[in-house]
Amino acid sequence: MAANNYFGFTHGGTQYGAAAAAAAGAAAYQATPAAGYAAVGHTPAAAATYAAQRATTAYEAAAAYQPAAATSYAATASSAPTYDYSYTRVQTYDNAAKTAAFYPQPTSTSFSAAADPAFQAKSSTTYTAGYQNAAARPAGQASKTYNYPAAGAAQSYTYPNQAAAAATANKNYSGYDAALYNAATLYVQQQAHTAPKGAGTWKASRPGVGAAIGQKPKLKQPPKPQQLHYCDVCKISCAGPQTYREHLEGQKHKKKESAQKQTAGTTPNAPRGGNSLRCELCDVTCTGSDAYAAHIRGAKHQKVVKLHTKLGKPIPSTEPVVVPGKSTTTTAKTGAAATTAVTKTTEVTKVVATPKINFVGGTKLTTTTPTASAAAAGTAVKEEPKEAAAAAAAPAAATAAAPAVARDDTVAVAAAALGEKEVEPVGQEYIEEIKNEEGKVVSFNCKLCECRFNDPNAKEMHMKGRRHRLQYKKKVNPELIVEVKPSLRQRKLQEEKLRRQQMREEMWRRREESAMDDEERIYWEERRRYEEEMEYFEWCRRGAGRGMPPFGPMGPMGPRFGPIPPMLRRPDSADDRHVMAKHSEIYPKDEELNAIQKIVSNSEKALKMVSDDIAEADAPKKDDGTATESKDEDGKELPRTLKGVMRVGVLAKGLLLQGDADVQLVVLCAEKPTRTLLERVANLMPKHLATVTPDEKYALKLSVEQASLIITNQTEPQINVTVTLTSPLMRDGAADEPTASKDPPDVLDKQKCLEALAALRHAKWFQARASGVQSCVIVIRIMRELCQRVPTWTPLNTWALELLVERVVASAGFPLAPGDALRRVLEAIASGLLLPGTPGLIDPCEKEPVDTLSGLTAQEREDITASAQHALRLMAFRQVHKILGMDALPPPKFNRGKFNRKRRRDNSCSGENGDSEGGDGKKDKKEDESEAAKADAK
Amino acid sequence: MRGGVRGRGGPRMGRGGYKMKTFVPRLPFDIYLCEPAFQRAKPAPDETPLQQALLKRNTDLSPSPTEQTAVLNLVTKIATVLDTLIVTPGSFDACQIEEHRQVGSYKKGTMRTNHNVADVVVILKTLPTREAVEALGNQVTEELRQQEPADVLVMAMLPNDRGFEISNSEATVRVLVTTVHQNLRKLDPELHLDQKILQSHLAAIRHSRWFEENAHHSSIKVLIRLLRDLKNRFEGFEPLSPWMLDLLAHYAVMNNPSRQAMSVHQAYRRCLQLLAAGLFLPGSAGIADPCEGGNIRVHTAMTLEQQDQVCLTAQTLLRALSHGGYKQVIGLEGNASIATDMTVWEGIVVSPLEKAYEKPPERKEGEPGDELADDDDMDMADN
């Protein structure tokens, strides 16, 4: 129905349009169709439906559109309508009934254009959107230069009038109209089957268009008959008519001829991309300025020049004609062109664009295949409206834009060509000359590009060449600028390069990020340490547990066997582990410690009783049986003869080693100890020892020269307790004249007594200083063992060693791990601390500055130093076990690898229960403990 | 939850306030840093002979004014030529020079006599190919010859493609070639000079700059000269690079509690003591390179074996020095055999030491190869 309506309407419209010359008469059907037509004319969707409804061909759609557009002129230019109608009508009346369908349209559109401002606006927007920007310039140009010389009817298009309308829209229209006008004429011509004549007129207009926009095409002179038989196509001369004919029939000529026809107007052999230079004369396209130069120098070109000079033909300048790549693509594959639509439109573009170039084939086109090209162009144009409907006059825009593009291209090309000419040859020093036996240069070898060539010219060209330059850039000077070649392969390479670079950057970035990874690693490292620490504390605790029970109340000289002061750091280095392992090896066993403790405490108790006895025995002499206690309370009494007993030496310092069987006690006496006193004590001792421990047998030995008595037990771990009698008076004696004068005749050996006193001081000093220093006691034990084991070190006495180790370790200024502490001691000795010329080791327990090391001979010092130096290096190179006289420990087996740890942490992170981590930790700790126990057991 | 609270990798972590501790290499025992702990138990020995001997040795080692002038002349000429090349880049196209700087002992004023070699580092803008270096060498020589045709100049390429050297009858200038930083990544080992060498040349520039700013004290310069002489005489010190010696000398002279320069003889002894105490052994903090980021310890440039060798040589020499063998150590008498043979000083037998370093067993894969990373992890590797 709708279709019918349309038909009916249009038909009616035809009549109406035919009758009515003015737009005002359209009022009758103004109501409905206005919108409809507006839509049909200008919105692609509506156009499509319209076309579908009418089941028209593309032609019709186009045709329907054309007049509509054409009539818009009529609408704007009030003087035009007459022409318009007459023109279209006259042309189309001859046509099939179909064409009649759009006759009404002009009227309707003219009415709508005139009466409906909405439509106006709409149409203008569509156009402007389409090509206002792109086409503004060319359109403007066109409005100035366009003339329609051939299409006589078209002259009734009054442009001035149009220009009187809105400025921008006008311009746009003009550009668009130009296309439309072409299309219209073509269509009409086609429809009217006025091919020969119409084509003639049209073809006249074609070059006109081209000329109007671009330069004057360079037209080849038609070949004149010559004496010389000259073939214009091949640009050669033939010796005679015979050869000339043969040439003309020859394959080569035919090929060239057809090629020329094919290329129809544009330059042949346009390169795929990029720019090239063309020798007009020889019709040769060169890819670069060097190639062009080579061509110009070449024999062939010279020959042609000569020939042309002879013929008196114009010789184009040797200036190369720059051929921009894209815009020179062949325009007319005329025959085939008729079928494709989209390419056709672009072809039109090309044709318009080409004037930028020397447009050679203009005439050729017309002469060779007028009809075909006309048809082609016709189709193109016919399709154009379709396109226009679809893309709002895109082709026109493209058409208009093309020259601009082309111009830009040309400029770019010119610039490129200019740049290329400026290229300096680079890297001459990398080109080797290869000489033959006679010393003549036969060829060249480019070391950068690894290629060879024989020609000096080639060498020159090579040095300017892209490949060489790229190599040079890559290998010699990265700042050399090598223009980018847009070839596909190059681009691929470029991309590849870019990608690689990105990857490299990525890698760098990652490396930076690895700082983060480090943090991670450190975290786990710390965690592990922490766990080991716990393990170590556990170890210490155990050590304490199985260690000796505390001794009796022994005043300030309390035993120091107990645990090593809590460590700040778990021994985690290999050195630490070895030192700790060695330490636990040399640490006395429980039974030894128990035995020592037993005999020492028994001796102490017995001595106490002896002291009581002696005091009691002495007291009656003076006070006649008064109780000792009362005298003590009085305080007037002389102190008891045996004032007290104290532990000294390794016992007091807690430096006992496994196998140590000698411990020292010192009994301080009120007066200078005499032989009599010593014998008295020795006589009293067995009785009291028996009372203290009835079931233990102790042997007692008196050693007057040692100023001591030695108590030895009878059971297996034989322990000797040396009890030395001494008195502070022995020291003061020298200064105190009256006391000295009172010296009993049998006083004990002074030197021994002084040594005992010194031992007492050393024990005090040790407790005050050394035992508080981190790792100090461990290292002293280790060193003591070393001194016992290695003869070289034996001369170093215990006191000197303690002092040395304490000084060295304490001077570090911060707590050291056992391994580090041992190493530092070795370092100190290695750096010559014992050698002559060094400050020596001052004894803090003597009033006078005394060098503790004075007992060492120079050779002993030297030997110890040498030994320490070697030991230090052994330690640095992970052979601490050699110093310690033990087997290298296998690396600890951590059954928690990174993964394990990670998993555990993840668990804790999951936050199911806060205790999970602690629980895990505990469990691990226990496991470690049991492992450690196993290791210990071994 | 806990993980969040504890943070991760933060400085405070763990229960019981356990502080995060990374592996901090320790400085070895240095008596000059802990003097208070070692009060003198006996009077200080008279060190004047040692002092005199050192000063004499220094005088012997210092270059004569003639030598200095000769080197200065040649350096100035070459510098002029290089400057010309910089300001007129078009005249020479094998390479482009960014800048040139004097480095090394000549620049630092620690040259020794009979070793009239000045070092100049040339930084190329272009990539340093061997051809470019050779062309540059030829160009410079050519221009020098043009300036003074009378001079007998010899151009020779340095081994390892470090650059080239130009010598006349009296002096030698080594021109070490490197390139700008951004080019270092573009190097192709097949075509260009070794990247490590190029980097070392760049480092040389930094070193001389650092030296100018920090180590201008004459004690340091004298000590460096003496140490270089020591290094040249004793084979065991061969691995010590000039830069290590510079830093060691600076350390020995300046690094004391008072921060006052120590006298040369003290510092000389101290150098041996430090080396003997294992300053340059694995596990020691050594001396951090002031010209490299990331706290790189200079001695890690030596292999473990070399570190051992340096240490044991220093240890033997220290003992010889302590027993009165200063003349032999300083080089006024005797020869280098004191470091390797048993010697007797005033009745005391000083015996040489054995190497302690052992090639690690094969279980450590690739360890002997990368000594740089190795010793850092020595303590860690077992864990």
Side-chain angles (χ1 to χ4, degrees):
Chain A
M1 219 16 229
N4 282 343
N5 248 344
Y6 266 108
F7 274 110
F9 162 70
T10 45
H11 206 70
T14 313
Q15 293 161 351
Y16 190 83
Y29 50 85
Q30 195 175 4
T32 36
Y37 273 109
V40 166
H42 301 277
T43 55
T49 46
Y50 184 54
Q53 277 169 343
R54 293 177 57 182
T56 51
T57 59
Y59 283 69
E60 284 164 333
Y65 186 69
Q66 277 168 17
T71 44
S72 69
Y73 297 138
T76 41
S78 52
S79 64
T82 37
Y83 130 73
D84 193 32
Y85 284 86
S86 62
Y87 176 68
T88 35
R89 211 171 295 160
V90 166
Q91 298 285 349
T92 49
Y93 269 5
D94 328 335
N95 278 336
K98 274 189 279 173
T99 8
F102 61 77
Y103 283 133
Q105 282 170 29
T107 16
S108 62
T109 30
S110 69
F111 119 74
S112 59
D116 193 351
F119 167 70
Q120 249 329 7
K122 200 169 187 180
S123 65
S124 68
T125 41
T126 0
Y127 286 152
T128 45
Y131 48 86
Q132 186 160 25
N133 295 330
R137 196 174 2 148
Q141 220 174 29
S143 67
K144 280 180 225 131
T145 52
Y146 267 19
N147 49 7
Y148 298 81
Q155 265 152 357
S156 56
Y157 278 103
T158 40
Y159 273 88
N161 280 354
Q162 267 225 305
T168 47
N170 207 358
K171 274 181 191 170
N172 299 341
Y173 273 66
S174 60
Y176 188 53
D177 292 344
L180 279 180
Y181 167 69
N182 275 341
T185 34
L186 280 169
Y187 178 70
V188 166
Q189 282 160 358
Q190 192 96 14
Q191 293 292 330
H193 300 290
T194 55
K197 206 184 79 181
T201 45
W202 180 79
K203 104 197 144 189
S205 77
R206 291 296 305 173
V209 172
I213 297 167
Q215 306 156 345
K216 202 91 184 140
K218 188 169 281 180
L219 298 178
K220 281 270 175 281
Q221 308 285 324
K224 299 174 223 159
Q226 292 286 333
Q227 297 288 60
L228 271 153
H229 298 275
Y230 177 74
C231 171
D232 198 24
V233 176
C234 307
K235 302 208 166 53
I236 54 160
S237 60
C238 298
Q242 176 69 27
T243 45
Y244 184 58
R245 213 172 302 124
E246 272 167 14
H247 166 75
L248 287 181
E249 281 160 16
Q251 195 95 80
K252 206 173 159 195
H253 173 81
K254 289 220 167 113
K255 221 169 166 180
K256 275 216 169 162
E257 197 174 25
S258 66
Q260 211 165 32
K261 277 176 194 162
Q262 284 271 311
T263 53
T266 39
T267 31
N269 315 329
R272 277 168 299 152
N275 307 306
S276 49
L277 298 171
R278 208 177 115 75
C279 174
E280 279 294 296
L281 191 62
C282 312
D283 196 13
V284 165
T285 314
C286 304
T287 47
S289 57
D290 288 312
Y292 181 79
H295 166 76
I296 295 294
R297 278 200 303 270
K300 191 163 170 248
H301 178 80
Q302 297 300 338
K303 208 165 149 191
V304 175
V305 168
K306 223 165 103 192
L307 181 66
H308 277 232
T309 332
K310 218 188 238 173
L311 292 174
K313 282 166 158 295
I315 298 168
S317 76
T318 45
E319 281 299 302
V321 177
V322 177
V323 182
K326 266 199 181 149
S327 52
T328 50
T329 359
T330 343
T331 36
K333 281 180 271 160
T334 39
T339 44
T340 40
V342 186
T343 43
K344 277 316 124 203
T345 50
T346 49
E347 264 178 32
V348 174
T349 325
K350 302 281 159 52
V351 173
V352 183
T354 34
K356 279 286 143 208
I357 308 114
N358 284 337
F359 197 90
V360 196
T363 42
K364 287 281 193 299
L365 184 71
T366 50
T367 46
T368 45
T369 50
T371 34
S373 64
T379 5
V381 175
K382 265 178 246 147
E383 255 125 350
E384 194 177 48
K386 223 201 295 175
E387 282 267 316
T399 316
V405 172
R407 193 190 294 133
D408 288 349
D409 256 8
T410 327
V411 172
V413 166
L418 210 66
E420 211 180 336
K421 266 171 217 143
E422 275 171 2
V423 164
E424 287 280 313
V426 288
Q428 184 142 18
E429 57 275 8
Y430 297 97
I431 295 183
E432 286 177 332
E433 294 182 347
I434 295 171
K435 294 175 179 170
N436 63 3
E437 312 84 54
E438 292 154 25
K440 207 180 144 199
V441 178
V442 285
S443 67
F444 301 90
N445 179 24
C446 178
K447 284 194 275 183
L448 288 181
C449 316
E450 282 161 12
C451 63
R452 296 181 64 156
F453 29 85
N454 302 327
D455 187 7
N457 283 337
K459 175 191 158 200
E460 199 72 14
M461 303 236 314
H462 175 79
M463 284 197 297
K464 290 186 193 170
R466 161 189 300 279
R467 192 162 61 103
H468 178 77
R469 285 173 68 84
L470 278 173
Q471 287 291 326
Y472 187 82
K473 179 187 167 77
K474 193 175 134 206
K475 294 173 181 173
V476 182
N477 183 359
E479 280 159 32
L480 185 77
I481 296 154
V482 181
E483 62 281 3
V484 186
K485 192 175 178 180
S487 110
L488 197 66
R489 198 171 142 270
Q490 288 282 339
R491 206 178 310 142
K492 266 187 187 161
L493 286 174
Q494 196 79 16
E495 274 162 18
E496 181 79 5
K497 209 166 143 193
L498 216 69
R499 220 187 56 225
R500 257 182 283 141
Q501 198 168 335
Q502 267 174 351
M503 275 167 71
R504 216 176 298 140
E505 271 161 21
E506 175 79 7
M507 197 195 67
W508 280 106
R509 204 168 50 74
R510 282 228 191 103
R511 196 167 288 180
E512 265 160 38
E513 271 173 13
S514 71
M516 281 289 291
D517 292 352
D518 280 352
E519 209 166 285
E520 182 94 333
R521 194 174 52 71
I522 286 163
Y523 169 78
W524 289 116
E525 184 69 18
E526 285 318 307
R527 230 193 116 73
R528 183 180 60 69
R529 281 225 188 119
Y530 169 75
E531 276 154 12
E532 281 167 19
E533 188 117 338
M534 291 310 289
E535 186 190 325
Y536 180 68
F537 277 130
E538 204 56 31
W539 182 86
C540 283
R541 201 174 52 70
R542 248 182 326 112
R546 66 161 185 201
M548 287 170 57
F551 276 70
M554 281 312 295
M557 299 287 172
R560 294 294 306 195
F561 285 113
I564 305 94
M567 302 291 300
L568 295 187
R569 261 181 85 180
R570 162 74 168 89
D572 47 4
S573 72
D575 291 347
D576 290 344
R577 284 189 302 108
H578 279 93
V579 168
M580 289 319 293
K582 180 68 181 176
H583 181 254
S584 58
E585 193 182 296
I586 60 175
Y587 197 80
K589 288 199 185 73
D590 285 359
E591 53 264 37
E592 281 183 276
L593 287 175
N594 285 335
I596 290 172
Q597 198 240 338
K598 205 161 148 192
I599 188 169
V600 166
S601 63
N602 286 343
S603 307
E604 281 167 348
K605 282 177 196 161
L607 282 169
K608 169 89 167 109
M609 289 165 153
V610 169
S611 171
D612 289 348
D613 267 7
I614 292 175
E616 261 172 50
D618 287 353
K621 275 192 232 159
K622 288 180 181 173
D623 290 320
D624 292 311
T626 334
T628 328
E629 295 92 72
S630 62
K631 271 162 223 157
D632 283 347
E633 279 163 22
D634 290 346
K636 288 170 190 170
E637 277 316 298
L638 280 173
R640 23 165 116 210
T641 316
L642 302 183
K643 289 202 291 189
V645 56
M646 285 166 200
R647 298 173 183 183
V648 295
V650 287
L651 183 64
K653 295 169 189 166
L655 296 176
L656 274 174
L657 297 180
Q658 206 166 35
D660 271 350
D662 298 307
V663 292
Q664 281 91 41
L665 294 176
V666 169
V667 174
L668 277 178
C669 306
E671 284 164 14
K672 290 193 176 176
T674 57
R675 187 188 178 124
T676 329
L677 183 63
L678 185 65
E679 279 166 358
R680 200 170 158 196
V681 172
N683 290 335
L684 287 169
M685 272 303 275
K687 187 184 84 185
H688 288 293
L689 276 173
T691 26
V692 173
T693 49
D695 46 348
E696 289 271 356
K697 291 277 178 217
Y698 291 109
L700 213 70
K701 204 182 130 212
L702 191 68
S703 169
V704 177
E705 57 274 15
Q706 295 287 322
S708 55
L709 75 163
I710 298 152
I711 307 165
T712 312
N713 63 348
Q714 305 292 310
T715 46
E716 196 13 63
Q718 196 176 28
I719 314 288
N720 306 317
V721 180
T722 310
V723 181
T724 313
L725 296 187
T726 189
S727 165
L729 294 176
M730 296 295 281
R731 190 182 167 89
D732 304 329
D736 202 346
E737 276 310 310
T739 333
S741 61
K742 274 192 278 173
D743 264 4
D746 58 345
V747 74
L748 290 170
D749 182 48
K750 189 180 174 186
Q751 189 57 42
K752 290 293 161 196
C753 291
L754 286 180
E755 274 177 23
L757 281 177
L760 214 57
R761 289 197 301 276
H762 294 169
K764 266 185 194 162
W765 171 87
F766 190 91
Q767 307 216 327
R769 301 294 301 272
S771 57
V773 177
Q774 176 92 52
S775 303
C776 189
V777 181
I778 298 175
V779 173
I780 293 172
R781 283 200 193 108
I782 298 277
M783 290 301 286
R784 265 199 71 202
E785 194 272 338
L786 184 73
C787 290
Q788 288 173 7
R789 186 163 40 88
V790 183
T792 314
W793 289 77
T794 313
L796 199 61
N797 69 43
T798 315
W799 170 235
L801 181 70
E802 287 161 14
L803 204 54
L804 179 75
V805 171
E806 191 274 333
R807 295 280 76 196
V808 169
V809 173
S811 66
F814 52 90
L816 293 172
D820 287 348
L822 178 62
R823 181 163 167 172
R824 186 168 167 89
V825 171
L826 292 177
E827 282 167 355
I829 302 173
S831 75
L833 197 63
L834 305 184
L835 292 176
T838 45
L841 211 54
I842 203 160
D843 192 337
C845 298
E846 302 295 333
K847 280 182 185 164
E848 305 299 318
V850 173
D851 185 5
T852 325
L853 304 168
S854 55
L856 295 171
T857 67
Q859 186 63 56
E860 282 165 355
R861 288 161 185 260
E862 152 70 22
D863 292 345
I864 291 173
T865 305
S867 172
Q869 288 176 338
H870 189 66
L872 170 65
R873 281 178 296 116
L874 285 174
M875 204 163 171
F877 294 107
R878 276 197 249 191
Q879 296 161 49
V880 68
H881 56 275
K882 288 188 183 168
I883 312 169
L884 299 174
M886 60 194 284
D887 292 334
L889 291 180
K893 296 179 283 291
F894 287 114
N895 52 356
R896 33 184 143 79
K898 249 193 175 156
F899 282 96
N900 223 342
R901 267 180 261 148
K902 216 155 211 153
R903 179 168 51 73
R904 200 140 34 97
R905 184 171 181 280
D906 287 346
N907 283 348
S908 74
C909 269
S910 66
E912 291 153 5
N913 53 341
D915 292 338
S916 69
E917 192 185 13
D920 275 345
K922 249 179 228 160
K923 201 175 140 212
D924 277 345
K925 209 164 65 195
K926 272 185 195 135
E927 276 167 18
D928 292 342
E929 201 182 312
S930 59
E931 262 179 37
K934 267 182 232 161
D936 277 1
K938 277 174 209 163
Chain B
M1 278 300 279
R2 286 182 91 148
V5 171
R6 288 173 59 173
R8 207 165 127 187
R12 295 164 306 282
M13 61 189 339
R15 290 154 286 195
Y18 179 72
K19 287 255 176 68
M20 183 171 114
K21 261 189 222 157
T22 48
F23 168 65
V24 183
R26 214 169 36 80
L27 270 179
F29 178 82
D30 184 354
I31 195 160
Y32 294 96
L33 291 183
C34 44
E35 257 173 334
F38 295 91
Q39 288 169 359
R40 248 180 201 288
K42 47 191 181 186
D46 182 19
E47 300 248 284
T48 333
L50 175 67
Q51 202 172 352
Q52 294 301 323
L54 284 170
L55 293 180
K56 181 177 184 310
R57 183 67 184 166
N58 178 48
T59 322
D60 294 350
L61 291 170
S62 300
S64 68
T66 346
E67 286 178 307
Q68 282 179 332
T69 323
V71 177
L72 177 67
N73 281 343
L74 190 57
V75 169
T76 317
K77 278 184 211 160
I78 290 177
T80 319
V81 171
L82 291 173
D83 278 332
T84 322
L85 287 178
I86 293 174
V87 294
T88 54
S91 59
F92 176 61
D93 57 355
C95 57
Q96 291 169 35
I97 302 173
E98 172 82 21
E99 63 172 318
H100 65 92
R101 281 174 182 276
Q102 292 160 22
V103 296
S105 56
Y106 168 75
K107 169 79 173 173
K108 294 171 188 166
T110 57
M111 261 174 63
R112 282 173 297 119
T113 186
N114 297 325
H115 186 255
N116 301 326
V117 181
D119 293 334
V120 174
V121 169
V122 167
I123 306 178
L124 297 185
K125 243 188 265 179
T126 53
L127 291 172
T129 58
R130 293 180 182 98
E131 288 81 4
V133 174
E134 195 165 353
L136 178 66
N138 288 327
Q139 176 81 11
V140 173
T141 321
E142 205 51 48
E143 295 202 11
L144 285 176
R145 280 190 187 130
Q146 279 174 13
Q147 283 176 11
E148 264 177 73
D151 252 9
V152 182
L153 288 171
V154 181
M155 203 279 284
M157 299 300 282
L158 292 173
N160 295 333
D161 292 320
R162 299 178 71 92
F164 55 91
E165 64 175 23
I166 294 174
S167 31
N168 60 17
S169 48
E170 294 153 320
T172 304
V173 171
R174 280 194 296 196
V175 179
L176 309 169
V177 176
T178 185
T179 183
V180 287
H181 274 289
Q182 53 268 32
N183 279 352
L184 287 179
R185 269 200 254 163
K186 298 171 188 158
L187 296 174
D188 180 349
E190 302 251 314
L191 291 159
H192 305 121
L193 310 188
D194 187 3
Q195 190 178 0
K196 280 200 174 160
I197 287 175
L198 298 179
Q199 275 170 337
S200 73
H201 293 164
L202 286 176
I205 295 175
R206 294 197 292 276
H207 295 168
S208 54
R209 201 174 291 156
W210 176 86
F211 196 89
E212 261 183 309
E213 288 164 10
N214 297 286
H216 43 72
H217 198 282
S218 357
S219 283
I220 301 176
K221 293 184 181 177
V222 170
L223 186 57
I224 289 173
R225 203 172 285 130
L226 291 165
L227 289 177
R228 289 210 178 165
D229 170 61
L230 198 67
K231 174 198 158 174
N232 285 356
R233 281 183 297 112
F234 294 102
E235 199 190 340
F237 285 142
E238 201 47 52
L240 289 170
S241 71
W243 177 231
M244 290 180 206
L245 292 179
D246 290 354
L247 289 174
L248 179 64
H250 174 257
Y251 183 97
V253 172
M254 300 306 289
N255 190 14
N256 52 37
S258 66
R259 297 279 157 191
Q260 295 300 309
M262 284 165 54
S263 63
V264 174
H265 68 276
Q266 275 179 315
Y268 190 80
R269 186 191 292 275
R270 190 182 179 194
C271 284
L272 286 179
Q273 285 178 339
L274 285 170
L275 290 178
L279 182 70
F280 285 174
L281 281 187
S284 152
I287 302 176
D289 195 328
C291 295
E292 303 289 336
N295 210 12
I296 292 178
R297 298 174 292 158
V298 279
H299 69 272
T300 52
M302 296 188 283
T303 64
L304 292 179
E305 202 166 1
Q306 288 172 334
Q307 293 178 18
D308 190 25
Q309 193 192 350
V310 166
C311 184
L312 83 83
T313 311
Q315 288 173 341
T316 310
L317 288 181
L318 174 68
R319 282 181 290 131
L321 184 73
S322 297
H323 293 300
Y326 64 90
K327 284 184 179 165
Q328 283 76 5
V329 173
I330 292 168
L332 295 172
E333 287 174 17
N335 55 28
S337 64
I338 58 162
T340 49
D341 295 341
M342 188 184 279
T343 46
V344 179
W345 311 97
E346 297 165 4
I348 295 155
V349 180
V350 174
S351 41
L353 294 163
E354 295 162 30
K355 285 184 179 180
Y357 176 70
E358 285 177 347
K359 284 266 183 293
E362 66 286 345
R363 72 181 162 88
K364 288 172 187 107
E365 54 280 335
E367 202 178 65
D370 46 11
E371 296 83 6
L372 284 176
D374 184 34
D375 60 340
D376 266 9
D377 301 329
M378 282 204 52
D379 298 330
M380 300 299 181
D382 280 347
N383 296 330

